[in-house]
Amino acid sequence: MDITEIVSTSFTEFDIGTPLSKVAGAFENQELDAVVVTDGDEYRGVVSRRQLASSSNQPSAKVGSQVQHVPAVERTEDVREVARLMIGSDAKTLPVLDDERVYGVVTADAVLAAVRPFLDAATVDEAHSAELISVTPEIGIGEALNTLRESGIAHLPVVEDDEVVGMLSLYDVIEFTTRGGSRSQGGSSGNVGGGGKAAGGSHGGFGAREGESDRMLDLPVRNLMSDAVVTIGRDATLDEVVETMFEQEISSLVVTDSETDEPSGIVTKTDVIKALTWEQDDGRQPVQVFGLDLLDGMDYDGVSALIESMTSKYGDMQVIKASIELQEHKEQTRGVPLVLARIRLVTDRGYFTADGEGYGATHALRLAANTVERQLLKGKTYGQSKKHPDAEEQEKLYGWWLGG
């Protein structure tokens, strides 16, 4: 399946010299995810809503200073390759080129809508993030904003007594603080025009804006969170996830435990897009690596060999898919960055996941692999008689993207 039918020729474009303040105004259109940036007729990159919301920018700065260099695709590109490029570049909008000029864009929503009929083959349990990053209703908005930015997420569940009571969006926080800061800005430090404090005006200048913003950031999350929280069970299919997201106009669902009904994770549009990247080719294990460039002394074949070595010790186990994610932190020691490695392993004996954190990606990956090995060893005594799915069952279960 290619993207010919889902490319949109309606997109917003800015020259690299456009002030960021003008670009930010374009995002008042809530359906706009990203704008295309060009230099004359030459494509330069994109600037996304999330990118602007996650960084501090001077309104007078030019959009060229914030360009994200995401890959461009051709009009006939395969949907799976587009999904891989979106995940690899952390972008939900990719420009589509025709004769080296921007012809249109393809969005994550368009991809999900196109493949939705095939998504009943995979479940939330296989795709969701088992680590639930959340806050309590009484935490300050400023602290919550810091959590959103440091974790690289856009939606933060608000949990009280093991129950999700609200959802906080990065975009809502930014809009709230920016709107409040703009209202408080006024006057000047010299009280020109008699608008000083004695006249009932502002203290003047940017000091008033910053002071007002500080007070707003101290407000509890409860004051800003949305009470409308949508949950989904771990056994639900991914087509149900997409249907719910489109109907509710949201991009994440809180995953609940089937027995306790307590929140146990989150599933996002990005998680569903990742599911499209699974591919089995030439008998190789279906191993997907995100952040491969962070690995020191190990390439893709080395990662595949590590997974094979890890699972081959435990009898006749079939690996259906393995996902490795590497994330670099700012912390370093002797020039080596702290890295988080996350392994998700789906086998015919069950689902295993583990994190490892160490200095250097290879070290972190091996720590995560050791944890998965312990899980596999613990589960060695059960599920051994489970029948391996045949080719027809596997094709039905894991979807069209495992095909050619």
Side-chain angles (χ1 to χ4, degrees), residues 132-141 143-148 153 155-161 163-168 220-222 225:
L132 183 66
I133 301 174
S134 63
V135 294
T136 63
E138 303 308 322
I139 197 172
I141 290 173
E143 188 173 347
L145 176 59
N146 188 56
T147 299
L148 285 162
I153 57 179
H155 297 90
L156 194 59
V158 183
V159 177
E160 185 174 36
D161 297 329
E163 180 182 354
V164 182
V165 296
M167 183 70 74
L168 188 70
V221 163
R222 189 187 298 277
M225 71 181 190

Side-chain angles (χ1 to χ4, degrees), residues 38-57:
T38 56
D39 184 0
D41 290 333
E42 184 180 350
Y43 163 70
R44 283 299 185 88
V46 302
V47 171
S48 68
R49 176 190 299 273
R50 179 172 176 175
Q51 187 180 352
L52 283 184
S54 301
S55 57
S56 299
N57 302 297

Side-chain angles (χ1 to χ4, degrees), residues 247-294:
E247 286 181 351
Q248 300 292 329
E249 297 182 346
I250 55 180
S251 56
S252 64
L253 303 175
V254 175
V255 181
T256 55
D257 187 275
S258 57
E259 295 182 1
T260 65
D261 206 35
E262 294 179 359
S264 60
I266 194 166
V267 61
T268 67
K269 287 181 179 178
T270 299
D271 291 327
V272 181
I273 290 289
K274 282 182 180 179
L276 304 181
T277 66
W278 292 112
E279 189 168 1
Q280 199 162 16
D281 184 29
D282 298 330
R284 297 180 69 181
Q285 291 196 30
V287 178
Q288 193 78 25
V289 184
F290 303 104
L292 184 63
D293 59 313
L294 296 178

